[in-house]
Each structure stands twice: as structure tokens, then as C-alpha cells.
Amino acid sequence: MNFEFSDEQVMLRDSLSRLLDQRYAFELRRRIMAGQAETGIWSELVDMGIVAMPLPEACGGLGGSASDIVAISELFGRHLVIEPLLPSVILTGRALARFDPAGPVPQWIADIGTGALRGAFAHEEGSGTGASSTLSTKLYEGEAGPRIRGSKKLVLGGGEAGVLLISALSETKAVCLAAVPADAEGIEVRRYRALDGRPVADILLHDVAVDRAAIMAGADAALEALLADARLALAAEAVGAMAVLMATTADFAGTREQFGRPIGSFQAIAHRLADMKIAYVKARASLLYIAALADSGRATSRDISVLKAQVGRLGREIAQGAVQIHGGIGMTDELPVGHYLKHILTIDGLFGNTDYHLREIGRVVAAA
Amino acid sequence: MNFEFSDEQVMLRDSLSRLLDQRYAFELRRRIMAGQAETGIWSELVDMGIVAMPLPEACGGLGGSASDIVAISELFGRHLVIEPLLPSVILTGRALARFDPAGPVPQWIADIGTGALRGAFAHEEGSGTGASSTLSTKLYEGEAGPRIRGSKKLVLGGGEAGVLLISALSETKAVCLAAVPADAEGIEVRRYRALDGRPVADILLHDVAVDRAAIMAGADAALEALLADARLALAAEAVGAMAVLMATTADFAGTREQFGRPIGSFQAIAHRLADMKIAYVKARASLLYIAALADSGRATSRDISVLKAQVGRLGREIAQGAVQIHGGIGMTDELPVGHYLKHILTIDGLFGNTDYHLREIGRVVAAA
Amino acid sequence: MNVDFDPSLEAFREEVCAFLDTAPTDAIREAGRKTTSVFAPFEATMEWHRLLYARGWAAPAWPVEYGGTGWSLEQRYIFSEEHWKRDLPPLLPNGLIMVGPLLMELGTPEQKRQHLPGILSGKDYWTQGYSEPSAGSDLAALSCSALADGDDYIINGQKTWTTLAHKANKMFMLVRTNRDGKKQQGITFLLLDRTDYPGMHIRPIIGLDGVAEQCEVFFDNVRVPQGGRVGAENEGWSVAKALLKHERGGAAHSPAIRRKLDAIRAAARDATASFGGPLSEDPVFQRDLGELEAEVASFEHVEKLVLSGHALADDPAMPSLNKVMSSELSQLLSIMMTRVAGIDALPLQLEALEVGSGVQPLGDPFSLVAMPYYLNTRAASIYAGSNEVQRDLISRNLQTLRA
Amino acid sequence: MNVDFDPSLEAFREEVCAFLDTAPTDAIREAGRKTTSVFAPFEATMEWHRLLYARGWAAPAWPVEYGGTGWSLEQRYIFSEEHWKRDLPPLLPNGLIMVGPLLMELGTPEQKRQHLPGILSGKDYWTQGYSEPSAGSDLAALSCSALADGDDYIINGQKTWTTLAHKANKMFMLVRTNRDGKKQQGITFLLLDRTDYPGMHIRPIIGLDGVAEQCEVFFDNVRVPQGGRVGAENEGWSVAKALLKHERGGAAHSPAIRRKLDAIRAAARDATASFGGPLSEDPVFQRDLGELEAEVASFEHVEKLVLSGHALADDPAMPSLNKVMSSELSQLLSIMMTRVAGIDALPLQLEALEVGSGVQPLGDPFSLVAMPYYLNTRAASIYAGSNEVQRDLISRNLQTLRA
């Protein structure tokens, strides 16, 4: 066991890299985000099998493992991809696959796997996704069946989703997951973009009726698995972004001249680059090791928190260093540097930021 | 108002500097501390008026202000002086002067001012001098009068003192100060040295009888003033130590050669020196400004905490930088560098460390 | 500097407060709340400049004969404090702090007559043309050239990081008039009394924060009068150094920094910690806030000693020390702002940030500005002499003193 | 590296535990608890070395033919973990990790026969004579000279930071045999089979922590046999580089670092926070502990990947990366130790620290070692190539790769 990607993973990454190099280059991506260009990248991802990959084979997927998700998500991070693989498939699709296959659920999963339907996971309520026992969204028994009431923020892909997966507490304070069609009555969606351009939405749930077959009660473990998937995939994206920042900044420092020599020959810059390298090595090693633990079912919530906290903290260190070393042009929207910074900061804010996870780690290990 | 020392303070500092240069040079001080040499420095300090200076004029002192204490203590720090001016005069003497002048108290103050008697302030109980409401030493009414019971740690000059000033809570949880002769029955003293060579002691109080005339009840304000004096004087010592480390390290970096040039010409060293300079400028400005506030009765406990926290944190930064830049020889007992590091670390631990004061500041300003 | 020691200043403070509480328009107040940069939103800020001018308070630091207020150091500090406390937009610094004082020192009588009134009154905004793509931290490497031709110079080349050039009607710049000798020689300091000379082309640059604050300016055989030259030809480097002295010797940074910390404290009382309860009562937040408070306090102490003429003021490294301290403190504060805003810092809300857009932010006004301010403030350690260069200067000075 | 993945290793772990739980004497255990340096207390540690030798476990990393254990990487890692968990003194590295492997690679058959057995058995302790007063980070500037004379060299000069030289019976050193050419040339690597040659004078140096761990060694016409030379004359620099490879490619640092963190966690449960309650329940402590735990975990992950042959292992900067990471992590841990010990870290207790002194510490055993460990560990960023030099190497490598 040497923690390298498998031959299959390497082949898939090579194909995906080529696709993204061609169809998602930085300038093209800017035009796509500004609405000035179209991309058929989602259907390409479907064709390559990447959209179906994270789903279990029993649901028509490829049974992707944690390290498969990491292998793909890392490249997404390198290329600043904001296509909805994470919210739709890795989160909603995989979680639905843990539901009893009843009612509309199997069809939703199948449609998510073909890319025809998009899902979104509505969980955040405003202060950074703390313990699930603090959720204020309620799943309750209405006169004509179960209903859900609450409000969710910063839902990734929430504005484009056809099905919403919602975390809530039952009347007995049990953790539940419930899935509803996004066009159900009582759902109000406010679309906007996150700092890094990801389409997100705030979602208000005004006593929305829920199909009883689309509810998972006692969903503590499922929710934890879901959050672990989210954190692992986002961490992989962050590490991908860090890799590009590292390489770009080292290149820049080796070519940009001030005072008659490359700025990378100044020790202050050189040592900052060294610190960025150290940060990168730590973050990537933790990503690969913890992905391997996850593959073998041994990753604890502490491990996942370590990973999320490290990419948050080390990612910020690398990104801020990259901006500083690039100087003025690092401050512009025209270079990728700042986009990576914003990508990393956005990732840090999703599903518990650095501070949250560090405290969570400390709480657990101080008591152990 | 320009926050400079007054002409009188400058003159006194000049005299004291000369004395310490002659009679307290580093090598001599090492021999003194190893018991291989004697110093008559205490009697010289008495003769110069420095011992009487901090006491009010009404008690035979010179009515020294906060900035007078800072002016002297800063030089003490520069020269690593561990003579008992702080515990005996600045703490015990000044606090006793706030007692009602009754019983043995006036004579104790007079003898402290002449240097004939030494006092010590026994306050710390083990976890870093938190809120006075958490004191566990008890002053209670015994059959034949008041008694005190408890244990104190790391009492500066506690082994050499003739009179001990003790903080305690009464049976009604009121903060009290009580003074007892160090040879009173039931006092057990364990002498040792602190990290920086200061003589200290743990003191066990086994139901020690206290003269009712030597008790100050409702001593909250007096204790706060006492702690403010302690923190201000120690901060001044720390800033004095920081000044020497700054200057010594800059000198060293300018002369020590590696790879054919002075190490100070390497940007990594140069920038660390710059950071040390920034740290020093901040610490000294806070010292002088807060001393001026104290002189005019406007220093709040927040101000004092800012000062103590800054010298703790910035002092550590400077001292660690000094050791690193000196390299191997900075790791030896033979150079002053390490002694200053240990001086600064010891100061940080006395009367609330950096962490305590930062949290205290944060608690106050978050609520304000 | 008796600002914390002299109660007699309170009457003055009240006079200032009375004006600041009533004079600004709604747009000016909105611009202040939406300030996420050293440079406040342009139009409303210039409007505020003109209102202050009408009150006689546009340039407290200027000598009375040029239109200054005649206030003491303490009064100026108090004015700044109260101005910041109300989240009013700071006046743009280029004219008041840079060009104006420079002309008072080195300008010809004609230059003073021509330019000072417009700077004081808020009629003119001067953009700064120093940096070039290949001359950033190494400013002396600049190559944008001016060739004397009759009574004119003909300028060719490019400037960048010309702040708000697209809003400016004036420009001051450094040009190369001689390529021989040391690179600090052969530089000339020029005033351009228009920004629409034929051959000038201004291109705004969108920043990290999504705002077009900086610009590139291209010069293609632009003919400008030699009368705009400050100092002698080829002596522009020393003119720039004189300007730098004014720029850095200017106003105290403490009131602005203190205001940021106050905003953080207030927001923390309304924010919920990720483990529940008000953020202001969270011990971890309190510790970090305590550290920031201590750092802000020390910085205030340094500035107050310097303003008071303490020996610290004579330290030749003080401008560099101040630059590093204030820029890095601003960065720390900006990080804390995003931390307090939490996930409410993550929505991209460029329209809501525009003065007069009428677009309501998704969260509160504090969260609206936290991230743009953080992003903009990344530049603080880059511009005006990068902090790497400043640390070089601090250290060189220290080692020279000791050697 | 399946240490976290392969349950079949548990039987081996039990075998190790059984021995480590029973074999060490009280003095050895005391020495382990009182270890405040990379170098554990000498006499008891050498005694432990000899006990491990008797069990056949003195040199797990050595090839079997030289007396190694034949354990897998995972087994060696487990042994190290269990050894550290019991606070046993780590064997002194100079023979086992430095001289031994070097001789296996570059020693003559005679040198191997002469020296390897004593290294393995714990009979010999080799001090390292590299640094000189004017050759620290710039080691190639060394000047201590050896002049060939018949079958001998005559050594003149001085070495410093020769760890435990006053306890050593052997010494390996670099000497200058030629002053021409580049300074890396003309250096020769020598083994001294005694430390009491006429003309050798050893002076212990008291460290910051009050302990005489380092020494100066003076050479005044010291005549030693040329048979001690490793490699060719004037080729000592490449011999030293070969040795460095062994030194750095050696054992994992993670188990030692993990043990320090465990000790901190345990001590925090007994310590009282300055605001009351157990320190382990204090949110501020928990956050800082969380950050340390995350850093320790990442470091473990890096080491496990490297040991597993992941591509990271081939990064030429990895030795420098490992040095910087492990040394700075040790320093962070040492600061946390003093923080948890609180004021109990402040008493000076040199006697209580001595193995066998019988002097009871004022506080608990954790607080006794916290400050000496902190002070000693300040050297970790200085020795073995200062971290400034390591960062230069990391960056040069990075920029070379990219260029």
C-alpha cells in the first residue's frame, strides 16, 4: 500500500485533465461564468462516466470509493470546476442511495446518475453547520402527512436542483433526511453566487409536504457519512487548487524580475515559497492518507475534521502567499491566482470552517 | 506631553546604569548567582534612594510614581537584576502603605524603606493568579483571634522576607490582605530559584495567627493596585531585557559571518530582525504610554492587561529570535542571550501569563 | 499628544460631532458604510469632500494660509476619531495628503495657484502614475518616457495601479527623461492637468473584490506642457521622496483601525458561534479578540508617541515600521471580520455593494463588506513599497545603527 | 506501510509490549521520563542499549547480516510507537543511525570489523566532530586541520557542539586536509578510536537548560592513525553527504511526536485552567490542542507516505521538508508543554532532573521536564542544518523543478 492512485484512477484523471484543459480553460471559464459562453461540459462528464461514478453499482453507478471521489475532485479543484457533481451526485445521489428504495427515490437516483436530474443538499442554517442536534429545521406530522419547515442557506446548486435533500429534526429531535421535489409547493428559492462563482441558493421551506417514502428517520449515521463525503470532496478540491497556486507562484517567482534579478532569488520570497511547499505537502499527504482510511472504512470523524481544518488553514496560507508574491497583478480578477484564493476561502466556509473543525478535534482528543 | 522620562528620571537612570555596569556586569552576576561572589548592590540601591523611591512620602519614601517605577525597573531588566526591589518595596511596601497605620505596620514600612527589612507578596496559588474570587487561602476567626490558612507558590523573595503580605478570602468571601512576620508559628517555607535565578519560595500557612491591626479587609481595590504595580514593573523589566536582546542580536548579525558574509545580510535574518524591532517598538510604546496613563490615574485594568500580554508575547518573539539568530552559542549558558530568554519567560508566568491577560482583555472588550 | 489626558478637548469634540451627525447626506453615509478600501466610493466621497470644504474642514493638516483648520494635533486626532466612528467615507488621499503638501513644499507659485484650490475644494481628483508592469517594488526601474519637445514633453509608455484613474481629472506621474547613469537618476516628476490628452488611454482593472479601483494608463505620443514639471528635470526621484515624506507623515491610522475593531465587537454580539450562543461570549473568540485589541492598542501607543514628538518619531525607520504595522494590522482585522461574518461573508453581492443601487444585502451590512474588505486589503502589504522592501529598510537601518 | 490497515500486526505488537513492559530497569525508566533532549541521559540509556542488544533488538533498521532484526517497516514503526508510549529513553543515534550505516556503505572490511560490533552492542558511544566556532551553518568553512605524517594524521584545531563528547569513547569528525580549491574540497572524514589521545582536550558547555550536553574539543598536535579515514583523502564532503542520507533516511519521527502530544493531553486533564476547571475542558485550550493534533496528524501522514514509497519519497527536498516540519513541530509541542505546566514550569530543578538523584520535583513529572525540554528544543531549528538553510534548499529545489 503506497497511497498512490490506482492505474484506473490515473487513466480517468488523464482523460478528465484533457477534457478540462480543452473545455474549461481559465479564459473560457470566465466567459462561461459571465454568461458569454456555453459549455457542454456536464454532458461530457456524464459520457465519461464521472457523473455516475460516485453512485453505488446497485443504483446504476460505478460504486466509486472515497479515493475515486478524491481523484476526481482534486482535478475539479485544479481547474476551478463548479459543475454540480458535488451537490448533485456525491451528496444527494449517494445519500439517497442509503434510503429505503421506495416511492420516488429510485427514480431520482437513476436520473441523478444519468445527469438528467440535479440534486442539492440543504443543510446549512447560518452559523456554519455545527452539531446536527442544533438544527432548527423541523420535520413534523401535518394533518395530511409529514411536512417540513425551516430555512437553509448557501445551498450548493440549490437554484438548479430538481430534488432537494434536507436535513431536519423530527418532533422527537431525531435527525432526519427528507427529499422533496424542488418545485413542491411552499419552497422559496433565492439564487445567488458564492464568492468563488458557485451557484448557490437560500431555501425557505414553508411547511412543505414530504412523501413519507422519501424520509430517512434516524439518519445520524447517514448524515455523518454525507458530511464526510462533502468534506473529503471539498478538501480534494482545495488541495487541487493549492497545487496550481504552488506551481504558478514558483514559476512566477522564477521569471518575474525586480531589482535586476528573479524575485524568487530573494530569501524572503524563497522562504515563503518553501513554507507554501511545506503546507502543500502536509495537506496533500493528509488528503491521500485519510482517503485511504475512508476506503477501508477506518476514517473517523476526527480524521475528516483534521483534513478539513488543514486544507482550510494551509490553503489560506498558500493562497495568501501566492497573492503576495504575485504582487499587484495577483490582486486582479484577470489572473487565476485570486480565483483560487476565493475558491479556497469558499471551501473553508462550507460544512464547518477551520475554526469549527479545530475545536471539534480538540474537544474529542482532549477527552480521549 | 511627549512620554519621555523627566530630567530627574534620566539622571537617576544614568546613575543606576553606571552602578549596574560596574557592580552587576554579566560575568560578575553569574558568580554572584553561583554563590562565588558577594555583591553589596542592595545597600547601594538603598543609598541611591532607589529602595525608598516607590514608597509614599508620608511613609518616608520619595513618592515614586508609576513612571518612576518603570524608569528603574526597565534598567533592572536590562541588567537582569534580581534584587528584591519588586517584592519587597514595590509590592509589599507600597501595599502596606495603604493599610491603616496601626500595630506593626508603620515600622514594617519604615524598615522596608531603609532596606533593613524585606517583604514578600504571597498571592499565587498554582494556576496563574486568576480572579481574586478564586483564592483558596482563608482568613478566618480563630479562638484567639484571626488566623490564615492556605498555601502559596512561587513567592518572589519569599525565602528572604521578614514580613509576608498574603492575599486571602474572608469567611464571607471578601478579599483581604494580611501581613505576618515570616517567622510566625505555622509558616513553612520551601526555598528554590525560578528559571531566571530569582529566589522564590512556596509558602504553607498552617493556621497562622495574624495581628488584627495588620489586616486590610475589603481589599479589592488595594489588591488590584498591587497587581497593577506588579505587572507594570515586570513589564518594564521585560522591555529592558528586550532592548538588550534587540541590540545584541543586531550587533551579532552584523559581525558574525557565514558563507562569506555577515548573517544579517541574509534576508531571512534581516527580516527576523525587522520583526524583532517591530515587536520592540510596540512593547516599549505601550509601556511608556500606559505608565503615563497610570501616572495620571487613568490606566484601566484593560490597559495593564494589554501591557502584560504584549510584553509576554512580543518578548517571547524577540527572545526566541535572538536565540535562533545567535545559533549554537545562543543555546549556551555562557552568553547572556539565554538568560534574557529565561528572564522574559519567568516574567510572563508571574501575575497572569499572556494567555490569561489576552482572554481577560477579550472578555472585557467583547462585552463593552 | 494629550488626547487621552486633557478633558478640555471635550467641547471641541462636541462641535465636531454636531456637524458630523447632521451634515452628511444619505448617499455619503451609505458610501461610508460601503467603504471596503483605502479609497471610498468616488462620487459620494467627493460630495462629502465638498461639504467639508464648505465648513472649512476639508484639510485639517494643511497650514492655515492654504486653507487648513489651525487645529492642534489633538483636535485633528479627535476629528479623525469621530469621523471614523460614524462610518463616514474618508476623503481621497491623493490630493490632500500627497500632491497638495508636495506643491506647498516644491511647487512653483504658478503651480500652487493653479492646483491647490481645486484640491482643497474637492473639484479635482489626482490619480497617481508611478508603477509600471516592470517597475513595481523596484520603482526606479520605470521606463515610461518623456521627451522634451519645445515647451512640451511627449510621453510614451504605460502606467499601472493608477488608482481610480477612470474617475480622475488630473494625474501626477514619474517619467523617465534620461536613461544614462543610475536608474534613480533621469526620472522626472510631472503634473498632468488633464487626463484626456490625445493619445492617453485608460483601462480599468477589475480587482479580486470585483471592483474596478485600479487602472492601466497607456501613453502614445501624449504631448503635455513642461509647466507641469515639479522640481528639475531628472530630479524626480527626490521629488517623489519628498512626497513620500508627506504621505507617510500624514494622518494617524489609529482611528480607522480602532473603528474596524469596534465594528467587529458590535457584530460579534449579534453573531452566533458555531457551537451556539453569542460569538462575543465564546472564549476562543474572546482570546483572539483580546490579542487584536492588544495589537491595536500598541499601535495606537506607537502613533501617539510619534505624534507627541517622542524620540521614536526620530527613528529613521519609523515610516517603514508604521507601514508594516498598519498594513498587517488591517489585514488581521479583515480576517477577523470575515470570521465574524461567517458564512454570511460568502455570497457574492457586487450590486448590493454599489452606492445607490438600492439592492438589499442578503445578510447584515457588516457581512456585506467583510469579504470585499478582506480581499482589497490583501494589497496593503504590496502597495506603497511592499512589506518585504519595508522590512529590508527596517533591518538595514537597525544594523547600520548598531554597526 | 500498512500499520493502520493490517490487523495481523497485533501479535507482533504484543510481543514487543511484553518485553518493553518488563525489561527496563527503574533507572532506565527514570531516564526515559527525564529525557528532555534528542539525547537521553547517558548511562541509563547505554544500559538500555545493552539490554536491547541482548534481546537482539538494538538495531531494527540494520540489515540482518549486521545484527538487524529483519522486521518489516510496519514492525519497526510499531516497535518505535510502543517504545515511545512507555517513555523509554531513545537509544543514542550517533552509532546506530550515523556511523554504523555509513561504515556498512563506505567502510573498509577492517573498519567494519573493528567498529560495528561495539556500535551494535552499546559498548561504544561516538561523538560527532563537525561544527567549529566559525563553521556552523556554513560547515564547509571548517578549518580544523589534519596533516599526513607517516601512517598518521596530526590534528590541530577545534570542534564544537560535539554532543556528549565528555561521555564518548569514540569520535567521528571532519578535518581539513587541503586548503586549495573550493571549500567543500579538501575535507577528510576521520574515525578516532579513542577520545583520550594526547593533546585532545574536552570542555563541556552548559546549555540554556542547565545541562552539559554539548562540548568543545580542542586538538593540539593530536596524532591519530590514518586507518581511521573513511573514503579518500579530501573526499570527506561526499562521505558526510552519504552519512547525512542515512541520518535523515532513518527512523520515523512521528511516534516520538505523537507521544509528546499524548503527554500533553494527559497532563491537561490534571491541570487547572487559569479561569477555573480542568484545562482539558477549556475551549481555548481545545482549539489550540486541535491545531496541534491536526499538525501532528499531517506530519504522520507525510512520514507514512514516504515510508510507503509514495512519490513524495522521491522529492529531493524531502529530507529538508522533514527536518523543518519535525523540528518546528517539536518546538510547538514544547511550547504547549510549558503552557500546560503553567507556573509549575518555572522552578529551576536541575537536581530533580538528574537520574538517580532521588530529589523529588516540586510539581509533577510532566512539569519537571516541560521547561528544560522547551529550552533544549530551541536548538532543533539550529542544528543539523539550520532551518534557514533547509528553506533555502526547499525553495531552490522548487524553483529548479519549475524552471
Side-chain angles (χ1 to χ4, degrees), chain D residues 178-210:
Chain D
N178 191 333
R179 296 194 185 276
D180 304 332
K182 273 184 62 180
K183 63 186 180 177
Q184 282 82 357
Q185 293 159 359
I187 291 172
T188 296
F189 190 104
L190 278 187
L191 304 175
L192 270 55
D193 59 348
R194 294 161 45 193
T195 54
D196 57 356
Y197 279 109
M200 266 181 92
H201 172 63
I202 296 172
R203 185 181 82 87
I205 303 170
I206 309 288
L208 280 193
D209 52 5

Short mmCIF file of all heavy atoms in Angstrom, two decimals, chain D residues 178-210:
data_model
loop_
_atom_site.label_atom_id
_atom_site.label_comp_id
_atom_site.label_asym_id
_atom_site.label_seq_id
_atom_site.Cartn_x
_atom_site.Cartn_y
_atom_site.Cartn_z
N ASN D 178 43.26 19.92 2.97
CA ASN D 178 43.77 20.70 1.83
C ASN D 178 43.05 22.04 1.81
O ASN D 178 41.83 22.08 1.94
CB ASN D 178 43.51 19.94 0.52
CG ASN D 178 44.24 20.59 -0.65
OD1 ASN D 178 44.51 21.79 -0.66
ND2 ASN D 178 44.57 19.77 -1.65
N ARG D 179 43.81 23.12 1.68
CA ARG D 179 43.18 24.44 1.70
C ARG D 179 43.00 25.04 0.30
O ARG D 179 42.49 26.14 0.16
CB ARG D 179 44.02 25.42 2.54
CG ARG D 179 44.06 25.01 3.99
CD ARG D 179 44.58 26.09 4.92
NE ARG D 179 44.69 25.54 6.25
CZ ARG D 179 43.68 25.46 7.13
NH1 ARG D 179 42.50 25.93 6.81
NH2 ARG D 179 43.86 24.90 8.31
N ASP D 180 43.41 24.33 -0.71
CA ASP D 180 43.27 24.87 -2.07
C ASP D 180 41.87 24.54 -2.62
O ASP D 180 41.20 23.65 -2.14
CB ASP D 180 44.32 24.26 -3.01
CG ASP D 180 45.73 24.49 -2.47
OD1 ASP D 180 45.92 25.50 -1.74
OD2 ASP D 180 46.61 23.65 -2.74
N GLY D 181 41.49 25.26 -3.62
CA GLY D 181 40.25 24.93 -4.33
C GLY D 181 39.00 25.33 -3.57
O GLY D 181 39.05 26.08 -2.59
N LYS D 182 37.87 24.81 -4.02
CA LYS D 182 36.60 25.11 -3.39
C LYS D 182 36.61 24.59 -1.96
O LYS D 182 37.23 23.57 -1.65
CB LYS D 182 35.46 24.41 -4.16
CG LYS D 182 34.92 25.24 -5.31
CD LYS D 182 33.73 24.54 -5.97
CE LYS D 182 32.57 24.37 -4.99
NZ LYS D 182 31.41 23.69 -5.64
N LYS D 183 35.86 25.28 -1.09
CA LYS D 183 35.99 24.93 0.31
C LYS D 183 35.37 23.56 0.64
O LYS D 183 35.74 22.96 1.64
CB LYS D 183 35.42 26.04 1.22
CG LYS D 183 33.96 26.32 1.05
CD LYS D 183 33.55 27.54 1.91
CE LYS D 183 32.05 27.80 1.71
NZ LYS D 183 31.55 28.90 2.53
N GLN D 184 34.46 23.07 -0.23
CA GLN D 184 33.94 21.72 0.00
C GLN D 184 35.00 20.66 -0.30
O GLN D 184 34.90 19.53 0.19
CB GLN D 184 32.71 21.43 -0.86
CG GLN D 184 31.41 22.05 -0.34
CD GLN D 184 31.27 23.50 -0.76
OE1 GLN D 184 32.18 24.06 -1.39
NE2 GLN D 184 30.18 24.14 -0.38
N GLN D 185 35.99 21.04 -1.10
CA GLN D 185 37.07 20.10 -1.38
C GLN D 185 38.11 20.19 -0.26
O GLN D 185 38.16 21.17 0.46
CB GLN D 185 37.71 20.40 -2.74
CG GLN D 185 36.74 20.13 -3.89
CD GLN D 185 37.11 20.87 -5.16
OE1 GLN D 185 38.09 21.62 -5.22
NE2 GLN D 185 36.29 20.67 -6.19
N GLY D 186 38.93 19.18 -0.16
CA GLY D 186 40.00 19.24 0.84
C GLY D 186 39.55 18.91 2.24
O GLY D 186 40.23 19.20 3.21
N ILE D 187 38.36 18.29 2.34
CA ILE D 187 37.86 17.87 3.65
C ILE D 187 37.96 16.34 3.72
O ILE D 187 37.70 15.66 2.73
CB ILE D 187 36.41 18.34 3.85
CG1 ILE D 187 36.38 19.87 4.00
CG2 ILE D 187 35.76 17.67 5.04
CD1 ILE D 187 35.00 20.47 4.01
N THR D 188 38.36 15.84 4.88
CA THR D 188 38.50 14.40 5.04
C THR D 188 37.70 13.93 6.25
O THR D 188 37.57 14.66 7.24
CB THR D 188 39.99 14.03 5.19
OG1 THR D 188 40.65 14.39 3.96
CG2 THR D 188 40.19 12.55 5.47
N PHE D 189 37.15 12.73 6.11
CA PHE D 189 36.30 12.15 7.16
C PHE D 189 37.14 11.15 7.97
O PHE D 189 37.70 10.21 7.41
CB PHE D 189 35.12 11.44 6.50
CG PHE D 189 34.04 11.00 7.46
CD1 PHE D 189 32.85 11.71 7.55
CD2 PHE D 189 34.21 9.90 8.28
CE1 PHE D 189 31.85 11.31 8.42
CE2 PHE D 189 33.21 9.50 9.17
CZ PHE D 189 32.02 10.22 9.23
N LEU D 190 37.22 11.36 9.27
CA LEU D 190 38.07 10.53 10.12
C LEU D 190 37.29 9.89 11.26
O LEU D 190 36.41 10.51 11.85
CB LEU D 190 39.16 11.40 10.77
CG LEU D 190 40.41 11.74 9.97
CD1 LEU D 190 41.38 12.46 10.91
CD2 LEU D 190 41.06 10.47 9.41
N LEU D 191 37.67 8.65 11.56
CA LEU D 191 37.19 7.99 12.78
C LEU D 191 38.33 7.99 13.79
O LEU D 191 39.46 7.61 13.46
CB LEU D 191 36.81 6.53 12.48
CG LEU D 191 35.78 6.29 11.38
CD1 LEU D 191 35.63 4.78 11.15
CD2 LEU D 191 34.45 6.91 11.75
N LEU D 192 38.02 8.40 15.01
CA LEU D 192 39.01 8.32 16.10
C LEU D 192 38.57 7.20 17.03
O LEU D 192 37.46 7.25 17.58
CB LEU D 192 39.08 9.64 16.88
CG LEU D 192 40.07 10.69 16.38
CD1 LEU D 192 39.83 11.01 14.93
CD2 LEU D 192 40.00 11.95 17.23
N ASP D 193 39.44 6.21 17.22
CA ASP D 193 39.03 5.07 18.04
C ASP D 193 39.23 5.32 19.53
O ASP D 193 38.96 4.44 20.34
CB ASP D 193 39.77 3.80 17.59
CG ASP D 193 41.27 3.96 17.70
OD1 ASP D 193 41.73 5.12 17.89
OD2 ASP D 193 41.99 2.96 17.59
N ARG D 194 39.70 6.50 19.87
CA ARG D 194 39.78 6.90 21.28
C ARG D 194 39.43 8.39 21.35
O ARG D 194 39.51 9.10 20.36
CB ARG D 194 41.21 6.73 21.83
CG ARG D 194 41.70 5.31 21.90
CD ARG D 194 43.23 5.23 21.99
NE ARG D 194 43.78 6.18 22.96
CZ ARG D 194 45.08 6.48 23.03
NH1 ARG D 194 45.97 5.95 22.19
NH2 ARG D 194 45.52 7.34 23.93
N THR D 195 39.05 8.84 22.54
CA THR D 195 38.84 10.28 22.73
C THR D 195 39.84 10.82 23.75
O THR D 195 39.70 11.94 24.21
CB THR D 195 37.41 10.58 23.22
OG1 THR D 195 37.18 9.80 24.39
CG2 THR D 195 36.37 10.26 22.16
N ASP D 196 40.83 9.98 24.06
CA ASP D 196 41.81 10.43 25.06
C ASP D 196 43.21 10.46 24.49
O ASP D 196 44.18 10.22 25.19
CB ASP D 196 41.73 9.54 26.30
CG ASP D 196 41.96 8.06 25.97
OD1 ASP D 196 42.10 7.73 24.75
OD2 ASP D 196 42.01 7.25 26.90
N TYR D 197 43.30 10.73 23.18
CA TYR D 197 44.63 10.89 22.59
C TYR D 197 45.35 12.06 23.26
O TYR D 197 44.72 13.06 23.63
CB TYR D 197 44.52 11.19 21.09
CG TYR D 197 44.30 9.97 20.23
CD1 TYR D 197 43.07 9.75 19.61
CD2 TYR D 197 45.34 9.06 20.01
CE1 TYR D 197 42.86 8.63 18.82
CE2 TYR D 197 45.14 7.94 19.21
CZ TYR D 197 43.91 7.73 18.62
OH TYR D 197 43.72 6.62 17.85
N PRO D 198 46.64 11.92 23.40
CA PRO D 198 47.41 13.06 23.95
C PRO D 198 47.17 14.31 23.09
O PRO D 198 47.15 14.22 21.87
CB PRO D 198 48.86 12.59 23.83
CG PRO D 198 48.78 11.10 23.81
CD PRO D 198 47.50 10.75 23.13
N GLY D 199 46.90 15.41 23.74
CA GLY D 199 46.67 16.67 23.04
C GLY D 199 45.20 16.96 22.81
O GLY D 199 44.85 18.06 22.37
N MET D 200 44.32 15.99 23.08
CA MET D 200 42.88 16.24 22.98
C MET D 200 42.39 16.76 24.31
O MET D 200 42.70 16.21 25.36
CB MET D 200 42.12 14.93 22.68
CG MET D 200 41.87 14.66 21.23
SD MET D 200 40.94 13.11 21.01
CE MET D 200 39.25 13.69 21.00
N HIS D 201 41.59 17.82 24.23
CA HIS D 201 41.03 18.37 25.47
C HIS D 201 39.55 18.63 25.26
O HIS D 201 39.17 19.28 24.29
CB HIS D 201 41.76 19.67 25.85
CG HIS D 201 41.11 20.38 26.99
ND1 HIS D 201 41.00 19.82 28.24
CD2 HIS D 201 40.51 21.58 27.05
CE1 HIS D 201 40.36 20.66 29.04
NE2 HIS D 201 40.05 21.75 28.34
N ILE D 202 38.74 18.10 26.14
CA ILE D 202 37.28 18.19 26.00
C ILE D 202 36.71 19.08 27.09
O ILE D 202 36.99 18.86 28.28
CB ILE D 202 36.64 16.79 26.08
CG1 ILE D 202 37.13 15.94 24.88
CG2 ILE D 202 35.11 16.87 26.08
CD1 ILE D 202 36.73 14.49 24.94
N ARG D 203 35.95 20.10 26.69
CA ARG D 203 35.35 21.00 27.67
C ARG D 203 33.83 20.98 27.50
O ARG D 203 33.32 21.38 26.46
CB ARG D 203 35.84 22.43 27.46
CG ARG D 203 35.35 23.42 28.52
CD ARG D 203 35.83 24.83 28.27
NE ARG D 203 35.01 25.54 27.30
CZ ARG D 203 33.90 26.22 27.59
NH1 ARG D 203 33.48 26.30 28.84
NH2 ARG D 203 33.22 26.81 26.64
N PRO D 204 33.09 20.52 28.51
CA PRO D 204 31.62 20.55 28.42
C PRO D 204 31.11 22.00 28.42
O PRO D 204 31.70 22.87 29.05
CB PRO D 204 31.16 19.82 29.67
CG PRO D 204 32.35 19.08 30.17
CD PRO D 204 33.54 19.88 29.75
N ILE D 205 30.03 22.20 27.72
CA ILE D 205 29.37 23.51 27.66
C ILE D 205 28.01 23.37 28.33
O ILE D 205 27.22 22.49 27.97
CB ILE D 205 29.14 23.95 26.20
CG1 ILE D 205 30.46 23.99 25.42
CG2 ILE D 205 28.44 25.29 26.14
CD1 ILE D 205 30.26 24.19 23.90
N ILE D 206 27.74 24.24 29.30
CA ILE D 206 26.42 24.22 29.93
C ILE D 206 25.43 24.88 28.98
O ILE D 206 25.67 25.96 28.47
CB ILE D 206 26.43 24.99 31.27
CG1 ILE D 206 27.58 24.54 32.16
CG2 ILE D 206 25.09 24.85 31.97
CD1 ILE D 206 27.40 23.19 32.76
N GLY D 207 24.31 24.21 28.75
CA GLY D 207 23.29 24.75 27.85
C GLY D 207 22.29 25.63 28.58
O GLY D 207 22.32 25.75 29.82
N LEU D 208 21.41 26.24 27.79
CA LEU D 208 20.30 27.02 28.33
C LEU D 208 19.54 26.29 29.41
O LEU D 208 19.01 26.88 30.33
CB LEU D 208 19.27 27.27 27.21
CG LEU D 208 19.51 28.36 26.22
CD1 LEU D 208 18.22 28.61 25.45
CD2 LEU D 208 19.94 29.58 26.95
N ASP D 209 19.43 24.96 29.21
CA ASP D 209 18.64 24.15 30.14
C ASP D 209 19.44 23.76 31.38
O ASP D 209 18.94 23.04 32.23
CB ASP D 209 18.10 22.90 29.43
CG ASP D 209 19.20 22.11 28.74
OD1 ASP D 209 20.39 22.49 28.87
OD2 ASP D 209 18.88 21.12 28.05
N GLY D 210 20.68 24.25 31.48
CA GLY D 210 21.48 23.98 32.66
C GLY D 210 22.24 22.67 32.59
O GLY D 210 22.91 22.29 33.55
#
